[in-house]
Amino acid sequence: MPPSDLQTGSATVRETFLLVLASIPEGRVTSYGRLAQLAGMGRGARLAGRWLGQLPEGTTLPWHRVLNSQGQLSLPPDHPAGQEQYQRLLAEGIIITHRRVDMKRYGWPD
DNA sequence: CAGTCGGCGTCAC
DNA sequence: CGTGACGCCGACT
């Protein structure tokens, strides 16, 4: 880890972000805002989205389990990643209605 | 370094 | 369910 990270602590927040993301249970989802909150990014929902979009293609992290606060898929239906997300969620047994999931049921943490 | 633009958002009305 | 306003940050000029 670069010395600059030890000074700014930026790596810590980023690592926490990845850690939280990785800890989202299969079959459950969370929102950008919550994820940011849990990772100590405060109101960095959009930043969370940015980081998710910058993850490597072959990542094993469950980026697809992150939706907007209304439980809707925020990615364009016609976009490759959007379909990928849709497919993965379905594969985990999550019921999707009108591109939206029931946060009361699948939301994490409870 | 300062100004500006835009984003996988969120909340209130 | 649509609209507008707000807020935070990275990227670019």
Side-chain angles (χ1 to χ4, degrees):
Chain A
M1 178 185 292
S4 58
D5 288 339
L6 293 178
Q7 297 177 354
T8 62
S10 60
T12 301
V13 176
R14 196 149 186 163
E15 283 174 21
T16 301
F17 168 78
L18 296 175
L19 197 62
V20 176
L21 175 61
S23 57
I24 301 176
E26 185 179 328
R28 305 295 295 283
V29 300
T30 192
S31 73
Y32 298 97
R34 265 187 170 181
L35 178 56
Q37 190 66 53
L38 293 174
M41 298 187 280
R43 304 178 180 109
R46 303 190 86 143
L47 178 58
R50 181 182 299 267
W51 284 358
L52 287 178
Q54 295 176 350
L55 289 175
E57 285 189 45
T59 184
T60 58
L61 293 172
W63 56 270
H64 58 281
R65 295 179 190 147
V66 186
L67 318 175
N68 66 28
S69 66
Q70 298 176 62
Q72 301 178 276
L73 281 68
S74 226
L75 277 55
D78 57 314
H79 189 283
Q83 296 179 26
E84 179 68 20
Q85 179 176 42
Y86 188 88
Q87 298 295 347
R88 291 201 188 187
L89 291 176
L90 279 184
E92 295 185 358
I94 295 177
I95 299 176
I96 305 176
T97 308
H98 299 316
R99 301 200 63 74
R100 180 191 314 180
V101 311
D102 186 349
M103 286 299 272
K104 291 295 181 182
R105 178 176 179 181
Y106 301 109
W108 178 91
D110 300 286

